[in-house]
Amino acid sequence: MPELPEVETICRGLSGAIIGRKFIKVQNFRENLRFPFPVNFVKNLEDRKVEAITRRAKYILIHLDNGTTLMVHLGMSGRMVVHNALRNSRDKHDHVIFHDDMGKEIVFNDPRRFGMMDIVNSSAINEHKLIKDLGLEPLLDSFNGQALHEMLKGRKVPVKLAIMNANLVVGVGNIYACESLFSSGISPLRLAGSLSLEECNTLASEIKKVLLEAIKAGGSTLKDYVASSGEAGYFQHNFKVYGREGQPCVTCDDEIKRIVQGGRSTFYCGNCQG
DNA sequence: CGGCGGTCCTGTCAGC
DNA sequence: TGCTGACAGGACCGCC
């Protein structure tokens, strides 16, 4: 489900809903998602107050008042939805329910269970196994054409796989990789190391632009993504290539092609993306 | 180390 | 209608 814009949208929604709130009861209905839940998961969350919510890559970081942080990753199909009133039923794939001191329920639902949760010391987040090797945040100023050019140097993978590699730059998933390569006029098949500095300038700025526009649109809803409010995003209406195989290119009218790279679908215009 | 393919899991949809 | 196979927003792991 979620790439960076979707996770960012959820973080913002959760911030408004639960900063300053206390978890009075936490229900966990499984022993594991992608990984086992940490020991004493429920016990370590109950009676904790939420102090802040931040994001690193696609990890939602919920900072608690005892110096620990709840890490949440949504995998492909995870959701975090805030319900303002008690529900009298639980959906099939609701795995964790947080009850706050205002009577709200924050529900983690994940059909495919590719998501994960962990609890870490806030001071050691950057040393966490899943965080420590992550690359640059694409929305920061430090991610620019020069930095991109440097990280792609000598790489023989197709540029699309390189920008989806979280050890280089985080948060760019399949949709936004396709879209930013299209708006840059760069073929997804080009070898990463072959991009000029000028092309990297373009690509870095298009990645930022596409991500920011998607955040503004509340993310992209392909099938079942919803923000923490339960609302769908609408950036999918702005897709120029993603999911448009066989349809005309918005620029030149050629048919959009679909190929498979690294086991994932790539959509592009063979004419506009040289 | 870089690069590639397999894998976790469930749901949906197209095609027969 | 029902079965089968392809495919889906992610990313780790092990192998070469």
Side-chain angles (χ1 to χ4, degrees):
Chain A
M1 133 206 298
E3 299 187 33
L4 187 147
E6 291 75 32
V7 177
E8 179 64 26
T9 301
I10 289 169
C11 282
R12 292 180 186 185
L14 285 179
S15 296
I18 60 168
I19 288 178
R21 301 273 56 81
K22 184 186 275 193
F23 296 137
I24 56 164
K25 184 172 135 190
V26 176
Q27 293 171 286
N28 175 14
F29 302 97
R30 293 190 59 80
E31 292 186 355
N32 67 295
L33 295 165
R34 178 188 241 309
F35 306 114
F37 281 93
V39 285
N40 297 326
F41 177 74
V42 164
K43 190 172 157 237
N44 288 335
L45 293 175
E46 283 182 345
D47 293 325
R48 297 276 62 80
K49 195 166 136 187
V50 176
E51 290 193 330
I53 298 181
T54 59
R55 176 186 62 72
R56 173 71 172 112
K58 295 172 190 165
Y59 294 92
I60 300 166
L61 303 173
I62 302 175
H63 305 271
L64 305 171
D65 64 352
N66 65 341
T68 66
T69 294
L70 170 64
M71 266 175 77
V72 180
H73 195 287
L74 301 171
M76 292 271 255
S77 57
R79 305 174 167 202
M80 282 283 261
V81 175
V82 177
H83 296 268
N84 287 313
L86 215 66
R87 303 175 309 158
N88 41 23
S89 68
R90 174 165 78 92
D91 287 351
K92 188 174 173 190
H93 300 296
D94 290 350
H95 305 310
V96 182
I97 302 179
F98 306 84
H99 301 261
D100 80 0
D101 54 354
M102 302 277 278
K104 295 199 295 292
E105 291 186 5
I106 298 88
V107 178
F108 174 86
N109 176 292
D110 184 7
R112 290 176 78 179
R113 305 205 303 271
F114 285 2
M116 63 82 64
M117 288 193 197
D118 201 359
I119 298 173
V120 297
N121 285 324
S122 303
S123 57
I125 292 171
N126 291 332
E127 280 85 68
H128 190 279
K129 183 173 180 257
L130 299 173
I131 302 265
K132 65 181 169 58
D133 294 323
L134 291 174
L136 291 178
E137 284 289 334
L139 299 180
L140 297 183
D141 290 343
S142 52
F143 177 74
N144 54 35
Q146 203 166 5
L148 183 61
H149 192 242
E150 194 61 35
M151 68 176 71
L152 297 187
K153 193 183 283 177
R155 295 200 178 253
K156 299 193 174 86
V157 270
V159 60
K160 192 228 181 186
L161 297 188
I163 60 174
M164 287 181 68
N165 179 346
N167 297 133
L168 301 178
V169 51
V170 302
V172 182
N174 203 27
I175 293 175
Y176 302 109
C178 293
E179 292 297 318
S180 56
L181 284 167
F182 174 80
S183 54
S184 300
I186 295 170
S187 166
L189 294 161
R190 287 274 303 281
L191 295 190
S194 78
L195 269 66
S196 67
L197 176 59
E198 195 189 340
E199 288 174 315
C200 288
N201 281 332
T202 304
L203 182 53
S205 91
E206 290 303 320
I207 287 173
K208 283 179 201 273
K209 201 194 284 180
V210 169
L211 294 175
L212 288 170
E213 282 171 10
I215 290 170
K216 214 181 284 177
S220 299
T221 296
L222 290 192
K223 218 169 68 66
D224 53 14
Y225 163 76
V226 289
S228 62
S229 60
E231 284 176 60
Y234 52 92
F235 190 72
Q236 66 279 9
H237 303 302
N238 296 354
F239 290 170
K240 299 196 167 62
V241 288
Y242 188 86
R244 297 193 63 244
E245 181 182 14
Q247 296 176 43
C249 171
V250 295
T251 305
C252 76
D253 245 27
D254 263 25
E255 271 193 13
I256 298 300
K257 293 184 196 158
R258 184 180 82 93
I259 56 173
V260 175
Q261 295 180 287
R264 316 285 298 275
S265 289
T266 298
F267 300 89
Y268 72 108
C269 172
N271 184 38
C272 294
Q273 294 173 260

